[in-house]
Amino acid sequence: MPLIEVTQSQYVRATIRLESATASLVDQYAAFVHGIADDVVDKALNYVFAKDREFQEYLKSSQSGKVVPSLRVRRLGAEPVASGMATVVGVETRREPVPKAASVPEESRSVLRTG
């Protein structure tokens, strides 16, 4: 029997928008814990989900199975780029309209890629 158990985690690449101050704090916290921003966001969200008793009860309800996903997730797989010189890993699924670049204020364009 092995002394340690190594498990594979399944990661997805998702795009989220953060307030610029929040993005800065994520970077600061990542530096503080000698980690990366992706792990800070992942662990922070899992911490909140686990600690929120009302949310845990909600997850047990039938309502939680009826949620329409809104997170933009890149699915695993590779697609060739039009130039044929590189591949794009995954296909991004958008479930909400993407705002035009001109209509999004500069300070709200902080984007963090997880996964």
Side-chain angles (χ1 to χ4, degrees):
M1 176 183 250
L3 295 176
I4 62 171
E5 183 177 329
V6 178
T7 59
Q8 292 285 333
S9 295
Q10 181 178 357
Y11 290 96
V12 296
R13 186 169 298 275
T15 303
I16 61 171
R17 293 184 315 145
L18 301 171
E19 290 183 7
S20 58
T22 304
S24 179
L25 288 172
V26 168
D27 285 333
Q28 291 291 327
Y29 201 85
F32 172 69
V33 298
H34 306 288
I36 60 172
D38 292 359
D39 289 340
V40 169
V41 172
D42 184 63
K43 300 300 181 198
L45 289 173
N46 281 312
Y47 177 81
V48 169
F49 298 154
K51 295 294 181 182
D52 189 326
R53 290 182 184 167
E54 283 185 69
F55 181 63
Q56 291 300 316
E57 289 300 315
Y58 170 79
L59 289 176
K60 295 174 188 173
S61 74
S62 61
Q63 288 178 311
S64 69
K66 299 174 185 173
V67 172
V68 176
S70 63
L71 189 63
R72 292 170 294 194
V73 174
R74 283 186 161 269
R75 301 287 175 206
L76 296 178
E79 286 189 358
V81 175
S83 67
M85 298 194 52
T87 57
V88 175
V89 178
V91 176
E92 186 170 312
T93 303
R94 294 180 189 258
R95 293 188 172 95
E96 63 183 358
V98 179
K100 293 181 181 176
S103 66
V104 179
E106 186 64 36
E107 58 272 359
S108 67
R109 287 191 189 170
S110 297
V111 175
L112 175 67
R113 297 195 185 277
T114 60

